[in-house]
Amino acid sequence: MINFRNSWMCTSIVIGVFLMISCEKTDVSTETLEIQENDFTSITGNDDQTLNLNNKEVQEPLLHLSFDKNTNEQEIDFLWNKAVKDYIHQNPITNKNASTEVFILIRTLTGEQENHDTTANARARIEFTTDQGQRISRYLLLNNGTNYDGSDNGPDRQIDQYDFYLFRIGFPNLAICWFELNTAHLESQGMDNWFVREFNLYVQPDYQTISATGRSVILSDPNEWLEGETETDWDQYHTGIINSGTLDF
């Protein structure tokens, strides 16, 4: 798991400059990283993508928990929020005066019928905007791993199962005033097809390590199969631009 500790502490001079800048939402610069678009050849329109990535292009989750769909919704929220707070408590940041990072929850729900589950690799990619410009995240891996406390969470993407993943997006040497999700991509590799019922993203104020208000979310119900043409191909679902809300620091 990636260390949650903030390694980009700003100097007092830099922080002072940032704090003098207005945090009102205004037009942003149009510096946008490119994202590859693919030909439509399957139900989703993108089942034949083969990419070789290095470690700098991928990011593992800080935290991953799974919940059976029959678990009470209030209990799920309580357990997840407690896990996030415990993680932040165990990995405090040194500088809490500038918003140099954003924490995002990605939540998926697997189909409820036989063969809807999968052991395939999965990942997401997020396009977002801040007052510092438009950006695209690295590939965010949605694969099971060891939790921050060393425990094994068990298999993910099982039948009728919610999977929660926490990620950190950092802004080295920058302090942002606001953050908006724009759109997101969900991908699954290989021929062990996966039926995705829900693919949701949340940027909540209580997930952040400094004071924040508002929130930004993407809520989507794909109800689609993801399956590559070969064991190495990736199939992709794209939410479209259906974002809602802004997180303000």
Side-chain angles (χ1 to χ4, degrees):
M1 292 301 170
I2 298 174
N3 196 307
F4 196 55
R5 201 177 292 276
N6 185 346
S7 58
W8 296 283
M9 181 177 70
C10 298
T11 66
S12 58
I13 295 176
V14 174
I15 294 173
V17 172
F18 282 128
L19 293 178
M20 292 174 62
I21 299 174
S22 170
C23 282
E24 292 183 1
K25 183 182 174 185
T26 58
D27 292 339
V28 300
S29 62
T30 58
E31 179 186 356
T32 305
L33 303 182
E34 293 183 357
I35 188 166
Q36 182 178 356
E37 296 295 339
N38 300 275
D39 294 333
F40 287 173
T41 57
S42 71
I43 294 177
T44 62
N46 186 22
D47 64 347
D48 58 354
Q49 180 177 202
T50 303
L51 294 177
N52 295 317
L53 304 176
N54 59 48
N55 290 335
K56 293 182 179 180
E57 296 171 311
V58 298
Q59 184 173 337
E60 293 183 354
L62 302 168
L63 179 64
H64 167 224
L65 294 180
S66 299
F67 302 96
D68 185 275
K69 180 63 167 55
N70 294 324
T71 306
N72 182 276
E73 185 174 343
Q74 291 182 339
E75 182 180 0
I76 290 177
D77 290 341
F78 172 80
L79 293 173
W80 172 253
N81 290 331
K82 182 180 184 301
V84 172
K85 290 179 181 178
D86 288 347
Y87 189 93
I88 292 175
H89 178 73
Q90 295 183 28
N91 297 270
I93 62 173
T94 304
N95 171 35
K96 295 186 178 181
N97 296 317
S99 50
T100 58
E101 57 190 3
V102 170
F103 298 92
I104 296 173
L105 161 63
I106 296 179
R107 189 185 78 182
T108 64
L109 175 60
T110 297
E112 59 187 347
Q113 298 181 21
E114 186 177 359
N115 297 325
H116 280 185
D117 58 328
T118 185
T119 58
N121 292 324
R123 66 191 183 194
R125 208 170 189 190
I126 302 168
E127 299 179 48
F128 58 90
T129 304
T130 77
D131 56 295
Q132 299 294 329
Q134 296 176 329
R135 297 289 188 274
I136 297 176
S137 73
R138 292 186 288 174
Y139 283 101
L140 308 176
L141 301 183
L142 305 180
N143 294 328
N144 187 48
T146 304
N147 286 321
Y148 70 99
D149 59 358
S151 63
D152 186 345
N153 190 51
D156 43 10
R157 291 184 291 285
Q158 299 299 294
I159 293 174
D160 213 20
Q161 176 175 290
Y162 280 117
D163 285 285
F164 286 58
Y165 304 88
L166 182 70
F167 289 93
R168 173 190 180 277
I169 294 181
F171 300 90
N173 303 317
L174 289 176
I176 63 171
C177 292
W178 53 268
F179 181 99
E180 280 186 353
L181 294 168
N182 298 140
T183 186
H185 306 256
L186 178 64
E187 302 181 2
S188 180
Q189 185 181 38
M191 303 173 67
D192 183 15
N193 51 356
W194 175 30
F195 190 81
V196 187
R197 292 176 62 189
E198 295 181 13
F199 173 47
N200 300 330
L201 297 90
Y202 305 85
V203 182
Q204 301 277 97
D206 49 343
Y207 296 164
Q208 313 310 315
T209 48
I210 70 169
S211 178
T213 59
R215 71 171 189 160
S216 185
V217 301
I218 291 177
L219 305 178
S220 67
D221 301 302
N223 286 313
E224 289 186 4
W225 291 100
L226 291 181
E227 180 181 15
E229 288 187 348
T230 72
E231 290 299 337
T232 58
D233 287 339
W234 293 82
D235 195 6
Q236 181 185 90
Y237 166 76
H238 181 210
T239 64
I241 302 177
I242 56 174
N243 63 304
S244 175
T246 303
L247 182 79
D248 294 296
F249 292 103

